[in-house]
Amino acid sequence: MKKRLLAFLAAVLLALVVVTPHAGIADLGDFSGGSDFGGSDWGGSDWGGSDWGSSSDWGGSSYVSSRGSGSFDGGDIIFIIILIAVIVIVASIRAKNKKNTTTRAPGAIRTAASILRPISEIKSRDPNFSEEDFKEWLQNLYIKMQDCCAKRDVEPIRPYFADSIYQQFNRQMQQLKAQHRTNHVERIAVLSVTLRGCYQDKGEDVIVAEVYTRIVDYTTDDNTGEVVAGSKTDEKFMTYEYSLSRPIGMQTEKRAEGVTQRHCPNCGAPLSVNESIKCPYCDSVLTFSDHDWTVYAIKGISQRTK
């Protein structure tokens, strides 16, 4: 009888203490995941300069007891009381966690509208600036970001991001490679790009844009091809805030057939950066930090899963 009771209690405890699966690395920047977040109540954190993407799995532990058979003694009673208490505590924690899952976690805090000025101020200082061209460029950049994520190679988008963000992207790719996993972001649709406004800070013009997208996001094991995180069917509706900057006084260069013309900062050779970010003459890597708009911060505002 005692063995059966102890076995039953142990089974209940092990059933209550389960391993929670980790969502894994998601879209480039690691914003999308298993749980939706964000909403009308803004809050949370953003990234752009600090490390991110670190997380740890957790799970319960089991025990093995080889106690002799016979009648219950004082030690047995104390053991059972402690075991029941542990079961009650774990059940209470699980109930609390289940309750918390119904409350959507907050997303990042949007840039305060009070500091933003109309985008028309950029146009007044830069006659060649086109709001529509800028939004189209940002839309294409988002799609290219996710393509680079699937290929686990972010080098092609290096010129468009501040070095701190590029290094974060690169660490994400290295982590995927070390885990022998590939993140897939498919059925991408950029539903809207809104330029919320602009401001000046530390000698730079800053544009704040909100990007609203739909994606299907999942991660596969390179060896088995099995989906280890995400879903091939669930659609996620993502809202991001991008902050882009360039030095005050810089002017938008005229575009020919949608291609931005640049010159190699090392040897002066003409470059078509839509085709390559490396100078074909001297192999120097072109960056836009001193020439054009670069992304220096991205915030995950919200995620909705359909």
Side-chain angles (χ1 to χ4, degrees):
M1 176 65 182
K2 182 178 71 171
K3 285 185 176 181
R4 291 182 179 178
L5 179 59
L6 293 178
F8 171 76
L9 292 173
V12 172
L13 178 61
L14 291 174
L16 288 171
V17 183
V18 296
V19 176
T20 299
H22 178 54
I25 296 175
D27 65 327
L28 192 58
D30 203 12
F31 291 105
S32 66
S35 300
D36 288 351
F37 62 89
S40 58
D41 51 337
W42 302 343
S45 60
D46 59 314
W47 62 272
S50 59
D51 290 345
W52 54 273
S54 61
S55 57
S56 58
D57 295 337
W58 65 273
S61 59
S62 59
Y63 65 91
V64 177
S65 177
S66 55
R67 302 176 67 86
S69 60
S71 62
F72 287 102
D73 55 23
D76 291 328
I77 295 174
I78 293 174
F79 172 76
I80 292 174
I81 292 173
I82 293 174
L83 187 59
I84 292 174
V86 171
I87 292 174
V88 172
I89 292 172
V90 173
S92 176
I93 292 173
R94 281 177 54 81
K96 182 179 180 181
N97 288 339
K98 184 176 181 180
K99 181 179 180 181
N100 288 341
T101 59
T102 62
T103 302
R104 196 183 306 278
I109 302 173
R110 285 177 169 88
T111 298
S114 59
I115 72 169
L116 298 177
R117 305 292 300 167
I119 289 294
S120 57
E121 292 194 4
I122 296 290
K123 180 70 174 178
S124 67
R125 298 191 295 269
D126 179 6
N128 291 328
F129 178 82
S130 166
E131 185 173 347
E132 292 306 314
D133 286 349
F134 186 91
K135 290 193 290 186
E136 182 180 357
W137 170 79
L138 190 55
Q139 172 180 322
N140 292 335
L141 178 61
Y142 177 83
I143 295 173
K144 194 168 186 177
M145 287 170 60
Q146 308 314 325
D147 180 63
C148 287
C149 187
K151 295 176 180 177
R152 294 185 303 194
D153 179 15
V154 292
E155 186 71 14
I157 59 174
R158 185 171 188 171
Y160 310 104
F161 292 87
D163 188 64
S164 59
I165 295 186
Y166 170 77
Q167 295 302 331
Q168 291 170 13
F169 286 166
N170 195 47
R171 283 194 292 271
Q172 182 182 349
M173 297 303 98
Q174 296 309 313
Q175 185 178 348
L176 281 167
K177 290 179 181 179
Q179 295 174 338
H180 303 288
R181 293 181 174 184
T182 299
N183 180 233
H184 307 268
V185 181
E186 300 174 348
R187 293 164 58 185
I188 303 170
V190 180
L191 303 177
S192 67
V193 177
T194 303
L195 304 189
R196 294 189 57 220
C198 64
Y199 64 94
Q200 292 185 334
D201 182 51
K202 298 179 180 178
E204 298 205 331
D205 281 319
V206 178
I207 289 180
V208 177
E210 191 156 287
V211 181
Y212 181 48
T213 72
R214 183 206 68 211
I215 60 175
V216 171
D217 182 11
Y218 62 96
T219 302
T220 57
D221 183 281
D222 292 344
N223 298 318
T224 66
E226 295 181 356
V227 176
V228 295
S231 167
K232 287 186 176 182
T233 58
D234 291 347
E235 293 182 332
K236 296 184 182 297
F237 292 83
M238 308 294 301
T239 302
Y240 312 84
E241 182 183 276
Y242 280 64
S243 293
L244 306 95
S245 66
R246 73 177 183 185
I248 293 175
M250 295 301 301
Q251 299 289 300
T252 301
E253 296 190 18
K254 292 184 178 180
R255 301 170 183 266
E257 298 181 357
V259 177
T260 303
Q261 296 297 324
R262 300 291 178 195
H263 292 82
C264 174
N266 183 54
C267 69
L271 301 174
S272 175
V273 299
N274 287 9
E275 298 174 2
S276 174
I277 63 166
K278 286 188 177 181
C279 176
Y281 302 97
C282 67
D283 289 331
S284 295
V285 176
L286 175 67
T287 60
F288 284 174
S289 58
D290 296 325
H291 303 284
D292 209 337
W293 300 102
T294 57
V295 180
Y296 76 87
I298 305 175
K299 298 179 180 182
I301 304 299
S302 69
Q303 171 185 291
R304 299 286 186 276
T305 302
K306 182 178 179 180

